[in-house]
Amino acid sequence: MFSSTGLFKEVPCPEGSTCQLLRCIFMHTKAQTANASNVAQYAPRADSSIVSNSMDDNNQDSRKRRRVDDGVEIALNQNNGSVDVGILPRKEPRVSVQLAANATAPSNANGRPQPAKASPKPLESAKRDVSPPPLRNRPRKSSSTTNPEPTTNTSRKPTKLKKEPVKEDLNPRLLSRPPASHAIRFVILSKLHEQLIRLNDELIKEHDPSTKSLELSPQELISLALDEEERAANDNPSVYSNVVKLRIVKFKNMKLEAWKKFRAESITLEAVSDDLPHIDTPPPINTGLTALEEVSVLRKLIAQQEGLQKFGYVVAPPNDAEIDESKRGVEASQGWEQCDRCRTRFQVFAGRREEDGALTSGGRCTYHPGKQVRPVKSKTDAIKGHVESTYSCCSETVGSSSGCTTVDTHVYKVSSAKRLAAVMQFKQTPENPEVSPEQAVCFDCEMGYTVFGMELIRLTATAWPSGKELIDVLVRPKGEVLDLNSGFSGVFPEHLTEAIPYSTSAANSTSRKEDVGLEPKAARPTLLIMESPAAARDLLFSFLSPNTPLIGHAIENDMIASRIVHPNIIDTVLLYPHPRGLPIRYGLKMLTSKHLGRNIQTGGARGHDSKEDARAAGDLVRLKVAETWASLKRDGWAFREGVLSPPLPRDSPRGQTKVLGPGGARPKRI
């Protein structure tokens, strides 16, 4: 660097008469210096105030100043011992309070103006006995004595208020599969919360207005600790204890500057997430094939039905002898069944009991609607002791209570194919020349409890791979309804009572909500209703032929509910098997979240949406089609004249080129 002394003395000051520097390196004219005498005080901000008890005009440069607080400056006059107090903003250049009272003075040889001696204008604040409070948490005041009229600026965006934190206790959040016991999680959470409090207290004690927005309230500290603990429990359940302990050590060793950086990054992420639209759009699935070619590859995924009978699949309709045997067994049992929820024995009265019109006996049913959550086994179980299984609905230990939910009646479920056929016989998919051989269908059903067990109450079918809706209707069951199972089926009583009967004209003219499930209390029904399960099955057959691939998740349940037998099925349970094999299987919600990156079945008490489930199963199959096609291409398969063909022998005349088909790539010599 070079010295600037005298280099800019002939250059006019860019600030002109508004320059506030005591020793400016630029040139100032006499006219500019004279304008400085009209300034009563120099205050960089409108809410800054200056208190001056006494001034010595002859000894202005001998005053010493000491900073005692944020922006508060004390000036000591050495001649008479008077004290001047001024409030200056932080991170602003310090300006002498005496310069504001200078009058016009002649310039020296270098062209710099000399301050003239003049009496300062007395201030109202000088009558105060104490200094004004610091600027922290003080609203800005207008420098004008009159109140200006408010103006409206329509172009300015409204200020985004800080969101109020949700009130929570310092108690571990409920998880479907907790990685540790509640006692261990509570101890870890308390240690984590303790370190967060320490860091936040250090930030508060700094008394820095610029970091005021980084401070956390007690409720925000609890929420942050809960978020950190829950994130470790969900992301790393197998090593949960180690991950959280390392997190606690990191906060324990964290310095104040690192904490400020951590808080600033957290606030930035929250602001970005608030500004972005929360739209759950699935990522595009690109197979590199046309729709017809995808169906050709899809046929490679059709399940072999041999051996599936022992896992609940019905591959052939029961014969008349089996149905008669089942009917005799039902008559002999006199309607006694076992509750599918609480395992209580009760009696069912099809057509209602004559004495009181009751449908079931046994009174009310108390049960746990959630599944049993078994703890993850670890090597330290022998030291810590056995951890009991809990229910996902209420986290109660298995066997500690009879249930957390009570309903009006008991229900039951029938699994025997011949007994199901006694209510409504299974039917194989008939030939249908109107169905294109290149068409595939995804379908899903919702079931409810009746006096005949579980029956079909909603049927949905979509085209594959486009996902276009083909069928979405409610179904009136054959037996009297005991429980619509609305928490899972998404069908409520008002949907059945207010539904419009299905007809071709009504299906074409009725306006229905697209991609939206049923609402519990909709003003008007969004779906039409079929008068019987057999009519709904015939409607589904109008889009099927025996050669049509039928796609679904745990498709044997949907086929049993609709009483169909289909030879070409593709089940995502078989495409994405559990490591322990059938009958253990992954849920559709988990598979969709893991492989498609989107969440389904988020309606809570509103239940599931069969249309959403059908499309999710179809998208999972498309991923497998993409993997299968990549494997086939490596083995030499190709589309030749629109037909999926195996690799040609090398001595064949056509074996000199390898056709890649849909991509339109140039032939490659082999």
Side-chain angles (χ1 to χ4, degrees):
M1 296 294 293
F2 57 88
S3 176
S4 60
T5 305
L7 296 180
F8 302 94
K9 63 183 180 179
E10 299 299 329
V11 179
C13 180
E15 298 294 332
S17 60
T18 61
C19 180
Q20 300 179 6
L21 296 180
L22 181 62
R23 295 181 179 180
C24 184
I25 63 175
F26 295 94
M27 179 182 68
H28 284 263
T29 62
K30 294 182 179 181
Q32 294 174 347
T33 308
N35 292 334
S37 61
N38 297 327
V39 182
Q41 57 183 355
Y42 279 91
R45 293 175 57 181
D47 58 349
S48 299
S49 60
I50 301 175
V51 178
S52 179
N53 293 332
S54 64
M55 293 185 180
D56 191 338
D57 298 338
N58 299 324
N59 298 284
Q60 297 177 8
D61 296 335
S62 62
R63 303 197 312 156
K64 297 181 180 179
R65 292 170 172 81
R66 180 169 61 90
R67 198 176 193 87
V68 296
D69 200 357
D70 294 340
V72 180
E73 187 176 274
I74 294 179
L76 176 63
N77 194 318
Q78 295 179 348
N79 293 339
N80 52 16
S82 62
V83 178
D84 294 342
V85 181
I87 299 177
L88 299 177
R90 286 184 60 86
K91 299 181 182 180
E92 295 286 347
R94 298 184 182 181
V95 182
S96 175
V97 297
Q98 294 295 329
L99 182 59
N102 291 342
T104 305
S107 302
N108 58 9
N110 293 330
R112 295 194 181 96
Q114 297 293 335
K117 298 178 181 180
S119 298
K121 183 179 179 180
L123 301 175
E124 293 295 333
S125 59
K127 299 178 182 179
R128 299 176 182 172
D129 296 333
V130 294
S131 300
L135 289 177
R136 183 179 179 184
N137 295 334
R138 290 182 59 194
R140 294 188 178 184
K141 297 180 180 179
S142 175
S143 59
S144 176
T145 57
T146 60
N147 295 329
E149 295 182 1
T151 59
T152 304
N153 187 1
T154 58
S155 61
R156 181 177 298 177
K157 295 182 179 180
T159 303
K160 184 179 294 186
L161 299 178
K162 186 177 181 180
K163 295 188 297 184
E164 291 294 333
V166 180
K167 188 176 181 180
E168 294 180 284
D169 297 328
L170 192 63
N171 194 37
R173 289 170 178 164
L174 179 63
L175 301 178
S176 59
R177 293 181 177 272
S181 64
H182 182 274
I184 295 177
R185 293 181 63 197
F186 180 76
V187 172
I188 291 177
L189 180 62
S190 301
K191 296 290 185 182
L192 184 61
H193 183 247
E194 180 182 347
Q195 296 304 322
L196 296 178
I197 292 177
R198 179 187 64 82
L199 291 170
N200 190 62
D201 290 343
E202 292 181 4
L203 182 61
I204 295 175
K205 291 178 181 178
E206 194 181 23
H207 298 295
D208 188 354
S210 63
T211 59
K212 177 66 176 176
S213 61
L214 305 181
E215 299 175 4
L216 294 172
S217 65
Q219 184 58 61
E220 290 174 334
L221 287 170
I222 293 177
S223 299
L224 179 59
L226 292 172
D227 291 340
E228 292 287 340
E229 191 272 340
E230 184 181 19
R231 187 179 301 111
N234 291 330
D235 296 345
N236 305 281
S238 59
V239 290
Y240 160 79
S241 180
N242 293 338
V243 171
V244 178
K245 289 178 181 178
L246 290 176
R247 194 66 174 166
I248 294 174
V249 172
K250 181 178 180 180
F251 284 124
K252 186 176 183 180
N253 299 330
M254 184 178 289
K255 303 299 181 183
L256 184 58
E257 294 300 325
W259 173 251
K260 291 180 182 179
K261 183 178 179 181
F262 171 79
R263 288 290 303 126
E265 292 176 353
S266 301
I267 293 175
T268 303
L269 290 176
E270 291 176 1
V272 171
S273 61
D274 291 341
D275 293 337
L276 292 177
H278 296 276
I279 302 176
D280 189 13
T281 55
I285 303 174
N286 184 15
T287 61
L289 302 172
T290 64
L292 295 179
E293 292 170 344
E294 286 189 25
V295 175
S296 299
V297 179
L298 177 67
R299 298 188 181 278
K300 296 287 183 181
L301 304 178
I302 293 176
Q304 300 295 327
Q305 298 191 14
E306 291 79 3
L308 293 179
Q309 296 91 330
K310 59 181 179 180
F311 299 116
Y313 292 82
V314 178
V315 297
N319 54 41
D320 295 338
E322 294 174 334
I323 295 175
D324 293 338
E325 179 185 359
S326 175
K327 290 181 178 180
R328 289 193 297 269
V330 171
E331 292 175 359
S333 67
Q334 298 180 353
W336 285 96
E337 304 289 348
Q338 186 180 39
C339 183
D340 190 37
R341 292 169 171 170
C342 66
R343 319 310 298 175
T344 300
R345 297 285 296 178
F346 71 104
Q347 195 173 11
V348 181
F349 306 105
R352 298 188 179 274
R353 187 165 53 185
E354 295 181 359
E355 295 82 9
D356 53 3
L359 293 174
T360 60
S361 64
R364 297 170 66 85
C365 176
T366 302
Y367 70 105
H368 289 283
K371 298 180 180 180
Q372 292 187 14
V373 180
R374 294 176 174 82
V376 180
K377 295 183 179 180
S378 63
K379 297 180 180 179
T380 59
D381 286 346
I383 301 174
K384 297 179 180 178
H386 176 67
V387 181
E388 298 291 340
S389 301
T390 58
Y391 289 103
S392 61
C393 52
C394 59
S395 297
E396 291 186 5
T397 304
V398 175
S400 61
S401 68
S402 58
C404 60
T405 303
T406 301
V407 293
D408 294 334
T409 181
H410 298 282
V411 295
Y412 74 103
K413 179 181 178 180
V414 177
S415 301
S416 173
K418 57 185 180 181
R419 185 175 173 185
L420 290 168
V423 178
M424 176 179 167
Q425 175 62 298
F426 287 82
K427 186 177 181 180
Q428 291 183 336
T429 306
E431 294 290 342
N432 190 352
E434 296 181 359
V435 176
S436 172
E438 290 83 11
Q439 178 176 324
V441 175
C442 303
F443 99 118
D444 186 76
C445 298
E446 302 294 348
M447 286 76 77
Y449 292 101
T450 72
V451 294
F452 295 137
M454 276 196 119
E455 287 196 65
L456 177 68
I457 57 175
R458 183 180 179 185
L459 187 146
T460 303
T462 61
W464 190 91
S466 64
K468 179 182 177 182
E469 177 186 328
L470 300 177
I471 305 171
D472 194 7
V473 294
L474 296 174
V475 181
R476 198 177 303 279
K478 295 186 66 175
E480 293 87 350
V481 175
L482 298 178
D483 191 338
L484 289 176
N485 202 23
S486 302
F488 293 94
S489 67
V491 180
F492 290 78
E494 52 266 27
H495 293 142
L496 295 178
T497 57
E498 300 175 3
I500 301 174
Y502 180 88
S503 64
T504 305
S505 58
N508 296 331
S509 61
T510 302
S511 174
R512 290 177 288 177
K513 296 180 180 179
E514 182 69 15
D515 299 329
V516 178
L518 291 175
E519 297 294 335
K521 296 182 180 180
R524 58 175 296 182
T526 58
L527 296 179
L528 305 178
I529 186 169
M530 305 296 295
E531 290 303 321
S532 67
R537 179 178 61 185
D538 293 339
L539 181 62
L540 177 62
F541 281 159
S542 65
F543 295 94
L544 297 179
S545 70
N547 196 39
T548 303
L550 190 60
I551 302 170
H553 178 80
I555 199 172
E556 79 280 7
N557 297 321
D558 303 319
M559 296 175 66
I560 289 174
S562 54
R563 301 294 199 276
I564 66 173
V565 176
H566 193 75
N568 295 319
I569 61 172
I570 299 172
D571 197 341
T572 52
V573 167
L574 304 177
L575 295 181
Y576 298 87
H578 193 278
R580 297 167 61 183
L582 291 174
I584 303 174
R585 59 189 66 186
Y586 288 121
L588 180 62
K589 182 176 182 179
M590 191 281 294
L591 292 176
T592 305
S593 176
K594 179 179 179 180
H595 298 283
L596 300 179
R598 73 172 187 254
N599 296 322
I600 63 171
Q601 300 176 358
T602 58
R606 294 183 301 169
H608 300 174
D609 182 7
S610 56
K611 187 190 303 183
E612 180 184 53
D613 294 350
R615 288 173 174 169
D619 290 342
L620 288 170
V621 172
R622 288 197 69 199
L623 286 181
K624 282 297 181 180
V625 166
E627 296 177 7
T628 304
W629 170 238
S631 176
L632 292 175
K633 285 198 300 184
R634 287 193 299 268
D635 295 339
W637 288 71
F639 282 96
R640 300 181 179 90
E641 298 179 356
V643 179
L644 182 63
S645 305
L648 296 174
R650 291 185 174 273
D651 55 354
S652 174
R654 297 183 61 186
Q656 301 300 321
T657 59
K658 183 178 180 180
V659 181
L660 298 181
R666 297 177 59 185
K668 180 179 178 182
R669 299 189 63 84
I670 58 175

